[in-house]
Amino acid sequence: MQEKIDQYTAEINAFSPANADELEAFRIKFLGTKGLIKDLFEEFKTVGPEEKRVFGKVLNQFKQMAEAKYAELKEGLDSGLKTQDLGLDLTLPGDGFEVGSRHPLSLVRNEIIDIFKRLGFVVAEGPEIEDDWHNFSALNFPQEHPARDMQDTFFIRKGDGSDDIALRTHTSSVQVRMMESGKPPFRAIMPGRVYRNEAISARAHCFFHQVEGLYVDENVSFSDLKQTLFHFVQELYGEGTKVRFRPSYFPFTEPSAEMDISCTICKGDGCNMCKYTGWVEILGCGMVDPNVLENCGIDSKKYTGFAFGMGIERITNLKYVIRDLRLFSENDVRFLKQFQTDII
Ligand code: DAH
């Protein structure tokens, strides 16, 4: 018996598990209900009284030693202290982890915001689910007026069958919310997502992003509008980018215009992007229609203002030459990771 105890003691002292499985095998072998220590106790029952006196103590000490060793090894494994035994080397460099990149639309939106902030514009937001008043009526779209068909609207039918709630078709609705809830002067830009009922293709999508601008104060004129947008374009696309204004129509502005810039790709020489005209349209703008000011409770005799709205996708396409709008919402990492990585 003493021989066995000596042999087991040596084995236990030398034992060093590489992992939890080995430790469990150790437990079963020595401390399990059919383990070697149990066998020793069985054998102990059969020895004579003289040996019992000697081995009783020895055996109990041996058992305690085995249990203590097991507890110590288990704690070491659990707390990871036995890392060398586990084949880990903590001095090796760790696995790198991939840092995300900002979405191109966010990059461009932030750039637009920065430019206008430097001109004293604040940033405002409004809801994407809008009522008829804010999306249309207050903006001088009369009921049943064909101008409402300029934008294919997703209406939301309510339980009572009425459908005067819709996904906003433009961020111009935020102008109304802003003017209704404050007093002039207003100088704000309003970025956000808008929705239109369009079939999805390379050139159209059922949702996209706009930045709206509004400046209302005493004596705001069309020349303020031109200078502001001219400055914006120089900042965004570089000095020397040309602008031109073409007369246009929007119910909420009078007069209205669309602004073109000299093509950023071919610098005006003519290319695919500008359809060989040298010019690309980037936004709609105009002087806020007095009806809109009055609808929002603002005295149109005292105040005038300008407004503009641009699509962020369009601005982004011209910056990065992206020809398929669907890329923006497909979340293909091969596309997304081509853009500047500036977040940790
Ligand atoms: N809301 C117009 C659209 O979505 C864009 C626009 C045009 C906004 C002229 C304006 C503006 O504020 O003055 O097509």
Side-chain angles (χ1 to χ4, degrees), residues 197-266:
N197 190 359
E198 303 242 14
I200 296 172
S201 71
R203 314 183 114 251
H205 210 294
C206 59
F207 64 77
F208 54 98
H209 301 80
Q210 290 186 331
V211 176
E212 190 80 12
L214 177 71
Y215 183 17
V216 177
D217 202 348
E218 290 177 41
N219 300 319
V220 176
S221 69
F222 202 91
S223 56
D224 295 318
L225 163 67
K226 282 174 91 173
Q227 181 56 32
T228 304
L229 294 177
F230 178 77
H231 173 79
F232 164 67
V233 167
Q234 305 307 301
E235 291 279 299
L236 189 69
Y237 290 112
E239 295 285 325
T241 310
K242 292 195 204 109
V243 302
R244 76 176 183 191
F245 290 82
R246 279 180 292 103
S248 183
Y249 171 75
F250 300 102
F252 35 92
T253 42
E254 182 59 38
S256 304
E258 279 170 311
M259 189 178 87
D260 298 341
I261 60 170
S262 50
C263 181
T264 54
I265 311 301
C266 63

Side-chain angles (χ1 to χ4, degrees), residues 125-141 143 148 151 153 164-182 190 194 210 212 251-252 292 295-297:
E125 283 181 13
E128 291 180 14
I129 297 176
E130 221 9 314
D131 52 35
D132 181 277
W133 172 255
H134 291 94
N135 198 76
F136 291 121
S137 299
L139 287 164
N140 207 28
F141 286 85
Q143 212 71 42
R148 288 187 185 225
Q151 302 172 346
T153 310
D164 62 341
I165 302 288
L167 295 179
R168 69 178 175 196
T169 57
H170 52 185
T171 44
S172 303
S173 55
V174 191
Q175 284 186 34
V176 178
R177 289 193 171 269
M178 174 153 228
M179 289 193 281
E180 276 178 344
S181 62
M190 299 150 254
V194 301
Q210 290 186 331
E212 190 80 12
F252 35 92
V292 175
N295 285 340
C296 300

